[in-house]
């Protein structure tokens, strides 16, 4: 419900290549939860507790949930995790830590059931495609995401080769497929 904090977190996530949907009350959260691959919930919302929202969302989906809240009492944390939350971060927090926890949760949720042996680039590609599953992403978006933080460029041909290798590795797994349009 903190619009400034929401805007700052959204900007940081979008800068990392994530698509962000914002909700400022329980009703918006319920409506948008079907489209989400992960939820970041505050506990204290104006119309309903984030813990209640998490419990209701858990009835229909196993989407990862991170609580980001100023409620830092032991019982608050226990309630958040027991309601179905996967992580609980208290304010004030460091943005870099939030981003790392999001990446770790996606890694764990997206790859825990697989025995795929992926190169670092294939893993990064797999994680990005998984974050954007059921969404169309352009080659340009993928290339921009794969551009190394050290400034090492991944070119169009390298992307094609890695998508081909990833498709081959995924064909006999339960992790889905890559569809090109």
């Amino acid at each position: 419900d903190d619009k400034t904090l929401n805007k700052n977190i959204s900007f940081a996530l979008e800068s990392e290549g994530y698509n962000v949907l914002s909700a400022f009350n329980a009703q918006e959260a319920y409506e948008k939860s079907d489209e989400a691959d992960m939820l970041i919930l505050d506990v204290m919302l104006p119309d309903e507790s984030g813990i209640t929202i998490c419990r209701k969302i858990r009835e229909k989906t196993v989407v990862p949930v991170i609580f980001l809240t100023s409620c830092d009492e032991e019982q608050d944390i226990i309630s958040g995790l027991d309601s179905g939350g996967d992580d609980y971060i208290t304010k004030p927090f460091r943005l870099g830590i939030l981003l790392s926890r999001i990446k770790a949760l996606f890694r764990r949720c997206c790859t825990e059931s697989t025995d795929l042996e992926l190169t670092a680039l294939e893993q990064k590609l797999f994680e990005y495609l998984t974050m954007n599953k059921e969404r169309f992403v352009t080659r340009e978006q993928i290339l921009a995401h794969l551009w190394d933080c050290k400034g090492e460029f991944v070119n169009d041909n390298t992307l094609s080769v890695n998508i081909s290798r990833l498709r081959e590795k995924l064909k006999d797994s339960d992790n889905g497929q890559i569809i090109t349009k």
Side-chain angles (χ1 to χ4, degrees), residues 34-35 37 129-137 181:
D34 289 336
E35 304 171 53
D37 295 322
L129 293 174
T130 302
M131 284 187 308
N132 292 286
K133 67 182 177 188
E134 299 179 22
R135 293 186 188 109
F136 177 78
V137 291
K181 293 184 180 183

Side-chain angles (χ1 to χ4, degrees), residues 58-108:
R58 277 287 173 256
E59 293 173 5
K60 62 179 183 171
T61 183
V62 294
V63 65
V65 174
I66 296 176
F67 283 101
L68 181 62
T69 180
S70 59
C71 299
D72 62 356
E73 296 294 321
E74 180 180 5
Q75 190 53 49
D76 295 324
I77 297 168
I78 291 169
S79 294
L81 295 173
D82 286 351
S83 71
D86 296 286
D87 201 348
Y88 196 102
I89 302 171
T90 57
K91 300 174 190 173
F93 66 98
R94 295 182 187 252
L95 187 57
I97 292 172
L98 173 63
L99 293 172
S100 288
R101 286 185 172 188
I102 289 169
K103 289 175 186 174
L105 192 51
F106 269 127
R107 243 186 345 265
R108 191 172 70 245

Side-chain angles (χ1 to χ4, degrees), residues 3-162:
K3 293 189 188 230
T4 302
L5 181 60
N6 184 296
K7 183 179 177 180
N8 291 335
I9 292 172
S10 295
F11 179 78
L13 290 171
E14 288 167 349
S15 296
E16 290 288 318
Y18 296 99
N19 294 320
V20 177
L21 300 170
S22 293
F24 297 97
N25 59 51
Q27 185 58 41
E28 287 181 19
Y30 292 128
E31 290 169 4
K32 294 180 179 181
S33 67
D34 289 336
E35 304 171 53
D37 295 322
M38 178 179 289
L39 300 175
I40 300 174
L41 289 174
D42 194 346
V43 171
M44 296 172 43
L45 294 171
D47 54 344
E48 193 167 4
S49 164
I51 291 172
T52 303
I53 294 169
C54 185
R55 282 191 183 113
K56 288 180 181 178
I57 288 172
R58 277 287 173 256
E59 293 173 5
K60 62 179 183 171
T61 183
V62 294
V63 65
V65 174
I66 296 176
F67 283 101
L68 181 62
T69 180
S70 59
C71 299
D72 62 356
E73 296 294 321
E74 180 180 5
Q75 190 53 49
D76 295 324
I77 297 168
I78 291 169
S79 294
L81 295 173
D82 286 351
S83 71
D86 296 286
D87 201 348
Y88 196 102
I89 302 171
T90 57
K91 300 174 190 173
F93 66 98
R94 295 182 187 252
L95 187 57
I97 292 172
L98 173 63
L99 293 172
S100 288
R101 286 185 172 188
I102 289 169
K103 289 175 186 174
L105 192 51
F106 269 127
R107 243 186 345 265
R108 191 172 70 245
C109 292
C110 300
T111 61
E112 64 183 6
S113 64
T114 182
D115 292 327
L116 297 177
E117 291 190 24
L118 303 176
T119 66
L121 185 58
E122 289 169 345
Q123 180 68 32
K124 193 171 181 182
L125 175 61
F126 180 72
E127 288 172 6
Y128 182 73
L129 293 174
T130 302
M131 284 187 308
N132 292 286
K133 67 182 177 188
E134 299 179 22
R135 293 186 188 109
F136 177 78
V137 291
T138 66
R139 291 181 75 80
E140 291 77 22
Q141 289 171 313
I142 297 170
L143 287 168
H145 181 76
L146 295 179
W147 189 303
D148 193 306
C149 62
K150 298 173 189 164
E152 296 175 19
F153 180 69
V154 176
N155 68 32
D156 196 57
N157 186 53
T158 302
L159 176 60
S160 295
V161 169
N162 278 278

Side-chain angles (χ1 to χ4, degrees), residues 159-181:
L159 176 60
S160 295
V161 169
N162 278 278
I163 286 177
S164 177
R165 288 181 183 160
L166 194 52
R167 275 190 176 122
E168 185 65 27
K169 291 178 180 182
L170 289 173
K171 75 177 181 181
D172 295 325
S173 76
D174 295 330
N175 291 304
Q177 57 184 329
I178 301 170
I179 300 170
T180 309
K181 293 184 180 183

